[in-house]
Amino acid sequence: MVGFALIVSAFLINSNRPVSNAGGKGDAFTRASGKCAECHAQLQYSVVHEFELSAHSRRGLTCLDCHRPAANQRTKEHHGFVLSAKLTAGNCRSCHEGIYQEFLRSGHAAVSWAAIYGEKGLSAEEVAFAERYQPGRAKRPPHPFVSLEGADAIKGGCEQCHSVGRPNEDGTIGNCTACHTRHTSSVAIARLPTTCGQCHMGPDHSQIEIYEESKHGVLFAAQQSSLNLAAPARDLTTRDMFVPTCATCHMSGLNGRKITHNPSERLSEFLADPITNRRPNAAAGKANMQAICSQCHAHETIERVYAQAQKVVDLTNDRVNMAQSIVDGLRKDGVLKGKPFENPIDFVLFDLWHYDGRTAKHGAYMGGADFVQWHGNYPMLQKTVELRAMASDLRRKR
Amino acid sequence: MISNFAFLVLDIYLAHSVNAFRHWAEYIPLYFSMGAPLLLTIALVARSCGRVGLWVALGHVVGWSALTVGLAGVLFHLQSAFFVERTLKSLTYAAPFAAPLAYTGLGLLLVLDRMISAQSREWAQWVLLLALGGFAGNFVLSLTDHAVNGFFHATEWLPVISSAFAVGFLIAPFFGPVNRPYLVVCAFVMSAQALVGFLGFEFHVAADFNGPSTVMLQNFIDGAPPFAPLLLPNLMVLALISLWALDAARPEESETESIA
């Protein structure tokens, strides 16, 4: 009797355990559901705790689901488990292939890496694929600063953000954790302005500062606690996000709109370029973005903002063209010699479009008036005067 | 007893290598298992030389120390996870909390040998109680250990079921006198335990030989504990001794009612 009672109770206890803890996909997966935490909860508590907070955990995934080797990955043995030696987007795409494909077409993928290192490290296929969606942005030489500042400076600086599109050993591009973080794999964190602001900040791409100045940013600061940042992507409505963050406008599928992991789908111009031109998908990009704008704003308001922003873009193009022609003239006349960034005037020109020009254009589209004026047009005017003075001085000294 | 302690050196070395002896206290059972056989050998020699007092004293020292090591081990093992979460899941994934009780069992056996005559019925019952406790512990251990593995292979239920039967059979003598046929059945049940144990040993070793690491020792450290199933034949011996002693100390059949 006692023996039977023990056996029955053992079966009952086991049958009431969660599926992830009591079998399903295999013994290694089951073991991983708690075995990993046995050590790591003590060694790196936050890692385990962050995972426990995640949607992955709620859905019964185990550590092994993400840490198992994906295709073409080097493996390592770790306390009885075979793990991936280095996790990449290849691990995420095992379950999120569609999202990965969207990401590949975006400026966050190979072209982000190419902005520093050019084609180096990218395969011919990766360059060709990226060129199809972001023409002229993958098939390019390394940025001059790579050789001028040195590998260590670039690795510790530029690469930290641009590695979002790094080529991986396994043939994939990038790492989703740049936005979603590692163990939380959080959609809520990816929707936070501060997440985008990790890289989209500073004088060269001051989107986060502009956002904070804008009405969108002010409302977010005031009402963040009322927003449902963790709302499921497919069901996201303006009731969840009645104040937009970067992700809301550039990626989210608000009120049934198409979700995208390729922000370029909603962009119509290359604002980050010295001279802004229309994107190949300009009409669709504008329509897509305006469709999101229209979830909160009237059509007239949207058109007015776009028209006003276009004027700032055109004005900035004129100013950059003018500045560029001054420096080009010096080179043409043999007044300015040497490689790029060997003369002080090169830096003035670079700052003019790279800092001030970009800031003015982004400010215009994102509702950051101060950035259009005092961080954009004003310093552009100042640097134009400075350029002219420097050019005159150089010609006089010749 | 000496071989049991000596064997635990290897067992503890493998078990605590999983986390590379991270906590200093993990060395205690290792060193204790090295020292205990030495002291018990001295005790044996002393008894054969007629120095029974030294035999008793050393037995008590090793016995009570083993008891302490075992109980402290349970607390240390539980501390690895259970006291943080206090859930059945954390109990499953904690270090095998019942394992250190092997020391407690051995300690109790040593002390028992020094306190009660081996010819008495009382001694037989105490040994039977220890064997019963061992099988009960093995029931819990095999249940929680194989739960970690999700009972992926149906054979992982074997030690759970066999231990439950062993507990069921060995518990009966505590509720009343038993006759010889019952003890014979018990002996067969115990033999089945040994069979399950050896089978488990083979399964565990085979799994370790196919482990993911290129270093075989690492597979034995991180994989299925190779010696854990051998607890079953070990307990079988203890149980058979107690059953034999119980039979020897059994009152005449005519004098008592028996459980058949």
Side-chain angles (χ1 to χ4, degrees):
Chain A
M1 277 298 288
V2 175
F4 278 114
L6 285 172
I7 292 165
V8 169
S9 53
F11 276 114
L12 281 175
I13 290 170
N14 192 60
S15 62
N16 279 305
R17 298 172 72 216
V19 176
S20 60
N21 300 342
K25 285 182 287 186
D27 53 347
F29 285 96
T30 306
R31 209 162 53 243
S33 66
K35 203 69 185 166
C36 305
E38 192 180 318
C39 292
H40 289 283
Q42 297 194 42
L43 297 175
Q44 297 97 15
Y45 170 77
S46 55
V47 167
V48 177
H49 183 62
E50 290 285 0
F51 173 71
E52 285 173 340
L53 295 174
S54 73
H56 281 163
S57 172
R58 285 196 297 278
R59 293 191 177 194
L61 268 66
T62 72
C63 308
L64 198 60
D65 281 290
C66 297
H67 284 270
R68 66 180 151 157
N72 305 320
Q73 286 184 337
R74 278 186 296 115
T75 62
K76 66 175 182 184
E77 187 273 331
H78 180 72
H79 293 290
F81 293 99
V82 179
L83 306 178
S84 165
K86 188 169 178 59
L87 265 66
T88 68
N91 300 83
C92 308
R93 76 184 291 196
S94 309
C95 298
H96 305 286
E97 178 65 25
I99 288 172
Y100 175 67
Q101 290 301 330
E102 285 175 351
F103 163 79
L104 277 187
R105 291 161 167 77
S106 77
H108 283 151
V111 299
S112 170
W113 180 262
I116 320 175
Y117 295 112
E119 293 175 68
K120 184 184 159 192
L122 295 166
S123 69
E125 292 77 22
E126 286 165 346
V127 172
F129 184 90
E131 280 289 324
R132 208 184 314 158
Y133 297 96
Q134 308 280 344
R137 268 137 232 286
K139 197 170 181 57
R140 62 197 288 185
H143 197 282
F145 288 161
V146 173
S147 55
L148 289 170
E149 292 184 14
D152 291 338
I154 298 299
K155 195 171 181 60
C158 310
E159 194 182 313
Q160 294 306 305
C161 279
H162 287 265
S163 63
V164 68
R166 69 160 187 248
N168 300 312
E169 273 182 13
D170 60 11
T172 60
I173 296 282
N175 199 327
C176 311
T177 60
C179 302
H180 289 277
T181 75
R182 289 187 177 182
H183 293 95
T184 45
S185 311
S186 166
V187 70
I189 289 177
R191 282 177 183 151
L192 284 173
T194 42
T195 297
C196 307
Q198 291 173 103
C199 296
H200 292 274
M201 50 81 73
D204 53 341
H205 27 51
S206 29
Q207 285 95 335
I208 187 68
E209 291 91 342
I210 297 168
Y211 173 80
E212 283 167 357
E213 191 214 351
S214 73
K215 280 289 184 291
H216 289 164
V218 171
L219 284 167
F220 178 78
Q223 298 172 338
Q224 178 181 357
S225 58
S226 306
L227 300 173
N228 184 11
L229 281 158
R234 288 187 185 87
D235 307 325
L236 191 76
T237 69
T238 35
R239 291 174 190 276
D240 301 304
M241 294 298 295
F242 45 88
V243 173
T245 66
C246 317
T248 317
C249 300
H250 290 280
M251 300 174 87
S252 296
L254 206 57
N255 295 334
R257 308 295 306 181
K258 179 182 173 292
I259 308 163
T260 182
H261 275 70
N262 174 12
S264 301
E265 282 186 14
R266 296 182 189 170
L267 299 177
S268 48
E269 296 184 285
F270 287 115
L271 294 186
D273 286 0
I275 303 297
T276 289
N277 291 306
R278 288 167 69 77
R279 289 171 178 262
N281 65 330
K286 185 177 178 181
N288 289 338
M289 180 59 95
Q290 289 192 339
I292 294 295
C293 302
S294 68
Q295 303 305 311
C296 299
H297 298 287
H299 179 69
E300 292 74 17
T301 310
I302 299 166
E303 285 299 339
R304 179 171 48 78
V305 169
Y306 262 76
Q308 181 63 39
Q310 190 59 54
K311 285 178 185 168
V312 174
V313 169
D314 293 341
L315 183 68
T316 305
N317 278 349
D318 291 344
R319 291 209 162 125
V320 174
N321 267 325
M322 187 200 300
Q324 184 71 56
S325 68
I326 294 171
V327 177
D328 287 348
L330 291 172
R331 288 200 180 274
K332 188 181 168 191
D333 298 340
V335 176
L336 202 61
K337 293 186 175 108
K339 295 175 186 170
F341 299 104
E342 277 190 358
N343 297 286
I345 200 168
D346 291 329
F347 288 90
V348 177
L349 173 64
F350 184 70
D351 289 353
L352 184 143
W353 73 262
H354 189 242
Y355 287 176
D356 315 325
R358 279 181 173 184
T359 304
K361 291 181 282 187
H362 284 130
Y365 269 107
M366 292 172 60
D370 196 58
F371 288 86
V372 176
Q373 165 57 18
W374 295 113
H375 300 284
N377 277 296
Y378 174 76
M380 262 196 293
L381 177 65
Q382 188 185 37
K383 287 190 178 81
T384 306
V385 172
E386 196 180 340
L387 270 176
R388 284 199 179 114
M390 290 174 90
S392 300
D393 200 33
L394 283 167
R395 286 184 187 280
R396 202 167 44 246
K397 283 181 182 170
R398 188 186 176 195
Chain B
M1 297 291 284
I2 291 170
S3 61
N4 259 306
F5 275 118
F7 199 72
L8 280 171
V9 176
L10 191 58
D11 198 38
I12 291 293
Y13 173 75
L14 287 180
H16 287 183
S17 289
V18 171
N19 56 334
F21 287 89
R22 195 176 304 280
H23 196 285
W24 61 268
E26 291 179 48
Y27 283 103
I28 292 175
L30 184 74
Y31 294 138
F32 179 73
S33 303
M34 289 175 180
L38 202 70
L39 290 174
L40 291 177
T41 306
I42 294 170
L44 265 185
V45 173
R47 195 170 73 160
S48 64
C49 296
R51 298 184 65 182
V52 178
L54 186 59
W55 175 77
V56 171
L58 285 174
H60 274 292
V61 167
V62 175
W64 287 107
S65 302
L67 217 141
T68 310
V69 166
L71 292 176
V74 172
L75 289 176
F76 274 119
H77 277 210
L78 280 176
Q79 213 166 26
S80 69
F82 184 65
F83 287 149
V84 179
E85 305 286 346
R86 292 182 198 87
T87 66
L88 195 60
K89 178 180 174 176
S90 59
L91 195 62
T92 303
Y93 292 104
F97 70 98
L101 290 178
Y103 284 97
T104 309
L106 288 172
L108 285 172
L109 204 55
L110 274 171
V111 173
L112 175 69
D113 280 346
R114 267 73 179 169
M115 293 177 78
I116 300 168
S117 166
Q119 276 73 44
S120 68
R121 180 177 172 79
E122 191 187 359
W123 183 89
Q125 283 181 319
W126 274 113
V127 175
L128 187 67
L129 183 66
L130 289 175
L132 175 67
F135 279 113
N138 202 54
F139 171 79
V140 176
L141 267 181
S142 56
L143 183 64
T144 53
D145 275 10
H146 290 165
V148 172
N149 212 30
F151 289 95
F152 190 68
H153 301 284
T155 47
E156 292 176 39
W157 281 106
L158 276 177
V160 180
I161 294 166
S162 70
S163 296
F165 272 115
V167 169
F169 273 90
L170 294 184
I171 211 166
F174 293 99
F175 293 100
V178 290
N179 58 18
R180 177 165 285 175
Y182 184 82
L183 293 178
V184 172
V185 172
C186 279
F188 275 111
V189 171
M190 293 304 112
S191 305
Q193 306 299 316
L195 201 69
V196 170
F198 288 124
L199 200 64
F201 175 71
E202 191 202 327
F203 285 152
H204 280 209
V205 170
D208 291 339
F209 270 119
N210 291 306
S213 177
T214 49
V215 182
M216 197 47 68
L217 178 63
Q218 203 59 44
N219 283 330
F220 276 88
I221 288 170
D222 294 319
F227 303 123
L230 295 181
L231 182 62
L232 282 167
N234 197 312
L235 288 170
M236 175 207 73
V237 174
L238 189 67
L240 286 181
I241 290 172
S242 68
L243 290 172
W244 176 74
L246 206 62
D247 187 52
R250 189 163 49 86
E252 288 303 313
E253 296 264 355
S254 55
E255 292 176 11
T256 178
E257 287 181 23
S258 60
I259 297 173

